[in-house]
Amino acid sequence: LVRGGFDAGTYHLEARPGSVRVDDVDGNPTLKLAVDVPGIPYSDIRTYELGGREGETVRLRFRPVDVSPEYVTDDRYDATVSLWLRSGDEYVQLSQETVSVGVRR
């Protein structure tokens, strides 16, 4: 979380984008990226259609978000980041990690 400039007072959740190389695609699978930071509170889910993207590298990003300073009271927050793949009618979880979100004031 980075404090906004110009006395805006809000914080912005920033993260470097990830990437996935798309190979061996059958049908139209969907990749779902989810983040949950309950301490501020913030959640986001992004979906990426993979059909027709054979050989491409897909950049995975969360939406930029403003967080009110009333929620930013600690120096660190735990976040859960999950990656899911849908093929057909069901999602399969590929990974789930707990990461630390630091606060820059």
Side-chain angles (χ1 to χ4, degrees):
L1 289 166
V2 178
R3 188 163 188 116
F6 308 108
D7 294 325
T10 59
Y11 287 83
H12 308 281
L13 184 61
E14 293 181 359
R16 281 179 259 146
S19 62
V20 171
R21 174 97 177 144
V22 180
D23 290 315
D24 299 323
V25 175
D26 289 325
N28 191 27
T30 302
L31 193 64
K32 178 170 71 170
L33 177 66
V35 63
D36 183 39
V37 190
I40 44 178
Y42 170 74
S43 292
D44 188 24
I45 297 174
R46 302 292 309 260
T47 57
Y48 301 86
E49 298 290 329
L50 303 180
R53 300 184 81 166
E54 184 79 24
E56 289 184 31
T57 298
V58 177
R59 296 189 49 91
L60 309 175
R61 298 175 181 229
F62 297 112
R63 288 177 185 88
V65 63
D66 291 338
V67 178
S68 172
E70 72 182 85
Y71 295 114
V72 183
T73 57
D74 293 331
D75 292 332
R76 296 196 122 13
Y77 294 91
D78 286 336
T80 302
V81 179
S82 306
L83 192 61
W84 301 77
L85 180 65
R86 181 186 60 98
S87 182
D89 291 334
E90 64 182 61
Y91 277 95
V92 174
Q93 187 175 33
L94 301 176
S95 69
Q96 181 173 325
E97 281 190 56
T98 300
V99 297
S100 183
V101 176
V103 176
R104 287 194 316 217
R105 299 186 192 276

